[in-house]
Amino acid sequence: MKIISSIDDLRDQLRGQLRTVFVPTMGNLHEGHLSLMRLARKHGDPIVASIFVNRLQFGPNEDFDKYPRTFQADVEKLEKEGVYVLFAPTEKDLYPEPQAFRVSPPEDLGTILEGEFRPGFFTGVTTVVLKLFSCVQPRVAVFGKKDYQQLMMIRNMAKQFALPTEIIAAETYRAEDGLALSSRNMYLSAEERAEAPALHAQLQAVAHAVRGGHLDVFELERNAVASLAARGWKPDYISIRRRADLQPPSAGDLAQNAPLVVLTAARLGVTRLIDNLEI
Ligand code: PAF
């Protein structure tokens, strides 16, 4: 595997490739990331992965400084997955001057759910993804469904900017007890780790109720929030949305069994976890 940090070297290395498949990450790789690499292999060749902890997508009180950085272990994992190039730019390589041009996500998708609780997050994500796409020029890129709203945002961005990159969605990789794998799980104490699967269990309960014909969405959301809060969580939201645009379902959507998804973000101690489940 070639490890490349400069944009020019990356372009030289990938020149002439017709079906590069790209998996952007912020490192601290776990089985969830590796499952993205395995899916990538089915959709293109060569596989390019990136590791870049993107300052632009972290709020001033968020965990940019303490975000886990485990570069050497990550390299070994990617080598085993047959990744051809690891693009690992420094901040100077990717942002040689302050990134004044930024993507401005649409209000309707950018200011709800994660956008409401993490102002600026999607500007940061879409800006770095657009820039990484410009560097790698992938034909295909893989993103996990765990970051459901991020996936939708990037899909919409690729469509509206007519980017020549097909976006592939990967299923969320879960531990046996249901907890979605995330780099932030490492912030959990042993006691919190034992409690953490309750988040997925709560989503399953909501999905089960909707499938069973309980159509009072607000009541389901309120009860789910209360039940997590009673266990010591601080939920930001548990929200049932249309899969198509992440807007709240209308009575008509519910009556016609429109495809839905229930999304959540909640704090357990200092750790903020997100998860979702398609209904
Ligand atoms: O999902 C992530 O790890 C990041 O948001 C991404 C897509 C690599 C952009 O920094």
Side-chain angles (χ1 to χ4, degrees), residues 24-26 54 57 125 128-129 143 147 150:
T25 81
M26 296 205 299
N54 173 40
Q57 72 192 69
V125 167
V128 79
V129 168
F143 291 85
D147 297 288
Q150 166 175 285

Side-chain angles (χ1 to χ4, degrees), residues 204-264:
Q204 283 180 311
V206 171
H208 184 74
V210 174
R211 285 190 200 114
H214 188 133
L215 297 183
D216 186 339
V217 161
F218 294 120
E219 186 184 47
L220 285 174
E221 292 173 351
R222 237 187 355 258
N223 290 346
V225 164
S227 136
L228 276 181
R231 302 177 66 103
W233 293 72
K234 291 199 176 65
D236 282 345
Y237 59 85
I238 297 187
S239 202
I240 298 166
R241 298 292 170 117
R242 295 196 292 236
R243 275 190 228 172
D245 56 7
L246 297 189
Q247 296 303 315
S250 65
D253 293 325
L254 292 167
Q256 287 159 31
N257 289 327
L260 302 175
V261 56
V262 52
L263 306 104
T264 186

Side-chain angles (χ1 to χ4, degrees), residues 64-158:
F64 175 78
D65 287 327
K66 71 168 187 166
Y67 197 84
R69 288 157 172 91
T70 51
F71 190 72
Q72 211 37 54
D74 293 347
V75 165
E76 283 160 29
K77 290 176 186 164
L78 292 176
E79 254 162 1
K80 287 201 188 106
E81 294 303 326
V83 168
Y84 174 62
V85 167
L86 168 59
F87 181 45
T90 62
E91 287 198 286
K92 268 222 156 74
D93 290 311
L94 205 61
Y95 300 132
E97 54 192 67
Q99 185 66 32
F101 283 94
R102 298 195 185 189
V103 178
S104 167
E107 286 257 312
D108 55 352
L109 188 56
T111 58
I112 59 170
L113 305 167
E114 285 304 279
E116 179 185 342
F117 288 91
R118 302 186 68 189
F121 172 68
F122 286 120
T123 293
V125 167
T126 49
T127 300
V128 79
V129 168
L130 186 62
K131 190 152 189 178
L132 289 168
F133 280 8
S134 159
C135 300
V136 176
Q137 307 210 352
R139 181 66 197 79
V140 185
V142 179
F143 291 85
K145 279 194 191 176
K146 161 143 183 306
D147 297 288
Y148 206 88
Q149 192 177 1
Q150 166 175 285
L151 166 66
M152 176 168 290
M153 192 70 84
I154 289 164
R155 269 224 166 103
N156 294 358
M157 175 177 80

